[in-house]
Amino acid sequence: MTVALRPATEADLMAVGALHQRSRVAAYGAFLPAAALAEPTPEAMGRYWVERWQWERDDHRMTVAERDGRRVGFSYLGPDDEGDPATGLLNAIHLEPDERGRGTGRALMVDALGAMRARGWDRAVLWVLERNTAARRFYERGGWTATGARRDDRIGPAIVCQLRYAREV
């Protein structure tokens, strides 16, 4: 069965948080220590999304991907984190680990780019972990290119480097 996309509702957020945590563990486990991925718990990640949604729902958009009635992925986008009014930020695409390679990430990316275009943004940006080579290949196949911008962030006790990517919408 094909994947269906729909706008997220408040009722999705706890499940999205659990999905987000499973996705992080699967995607980052090859290069981050277990301690960095032990927290937050799936429930804590759900509470994070509930809180974040309260503050950002007016200018951000979450889309949920479903297959056979099961949530299998989500995307989250909003205004540029550097304040460029012509640019949208793709904050996240996360998938259930068994959903990789089935076209769901691509469907979420195409949908997010269309939503950005509909909002009048000409350019899209995102941040991706430098060591997440699978995600970097995914975005590069989707027409994204590294801008050269880098920043350090934390995942648990681990310091990680993020790279900024951009593309026209």
Side-chain angles (χ1 to χ4, degrees), residues 28-113:
Y28 309 158
F31 58 87
L32 286 179
L37 298 171
E39 294 290 332
T41 64
E43 184 176 295
M45 188 67 89
R47 288 191 307 270
Y48 162 83
W49 278 108
V50 168
E51 175 72 18
R52 185 171 180 178
W53 186 252
Q54 288 178 4
W55 299 106
E56 294 181 343
R57 67 177 160 219
D58 291 339
D59 64 353
H60 283 66
R61 177 179 185 259
M62 181 182 283
T63 299
V64 172
E66 292 183 329
R67 186 182 302 279
D68 301 324
R70 176 179 160 240
R71 290 177 201 91
V72 295
F74 74 96
S75 65
Y76 194 65
L77 63 90
D80 179 39
D81 60 341
E82 294 182 353
D84 180 354
T87 300
L89 176 67
L90 180 57
N91 291 277
I93 292 179
H94 281 279
L95 303 176
E96 287 288 2
D98 64 351
E99 197 64 20
R100 289 168 140 188
R102 299 187 71 185
T104 303
R106 175 91 176 133
L108 286 164
M109 179 173 37
V110 168
D111 176 75
L113 292 168

